[in-house]
Amino acid sequence: QVQLVESGGGLVQPGGSLRLSCAASGSIFSMGWYRQAPGKQRELVATITGTGSTNYVDSVNGRFTISRDNAKNTVYLQMNNLKPEDTAVYYCYASDIFQRAYWGQGTQVTVSS
């Protein structure tokens, strides 16, 4: 059973930056981040495979960067130029080689002046 532990959320002003981290306890292949704003469905933010291929939702392209440290089984999401519409609970996601999915507990990101 893979466990995911997230950190790095918080309150930031528009235009500011935050870095989210997610450490996995077991063997995983793909990792990523999803988010869910109040009253909205959970949406993909960014993913990264074991070989380093990345994918972003259009609304964060050029502002967010996903990366991973395979030695630490950790994925990061660097979020720059944050906007109020980025406010959401951010969930870490991971899948193993059998495509079993795992989720973190979620971390709140609030962008507000």
Side-chain angles (χ1 to χ4, degrees):
Q1 181 75 10
V2 173
Q3 292 187 332
L4 305 176
V5 179
E6 305 159 348
S7 61
L11 172 64
V12 65
Q13 292 186 342
S17 298
L18 282 175
R19 188 192 195 207
L20 305 182
S21 300
C22 174
S25 62
S27 179
I28 46 85
F29 179 65
S30 291
M31 299 189 79
W33 295 91
Y34 284 68
R35 67 186 179 187
Q36 187 166 19
K40 295 188 177 181
Q41 290 188 336
R42 189 174 298 189
E43 67 168 354
L44 168 72
V45 178
T47 59
I48 184 167
T49 69
T51 56
S53 296
T54 59
N55 181 50
Y56 298 91
V57 66
D58 287 345
S59 61
V60 307
N61 235 331
R63 301 188 297 121
F64 291 11
T65 303
I66 190 169
S67 62
R68 65 188 287 171
D69 183 334
N70 289 330
K72 296 181 179 180
N73 251 6
T74 299
V75 64
Y76 306 96
L77 186 68
Q78 178 66 43
M79 305 184 292
N80 297 328
N81 191 20
L82 282 159
K83 303 176 180 181
E85 51 264 41
D86 295 317
T87 295
V89 177
Y90 284 69
Y91 295 92
C92 179
Y93 163 87
S95 63
D96 61 21
I97 60 172
F98 302 106
Q99 298 186 329
R100 290 177 295 202
Y102 304 93
W103 294 93
Q105 78 280 5
T107 184
Q108 178 69 46
V109 171
T110 302
V111 185
S112 175
S113 55

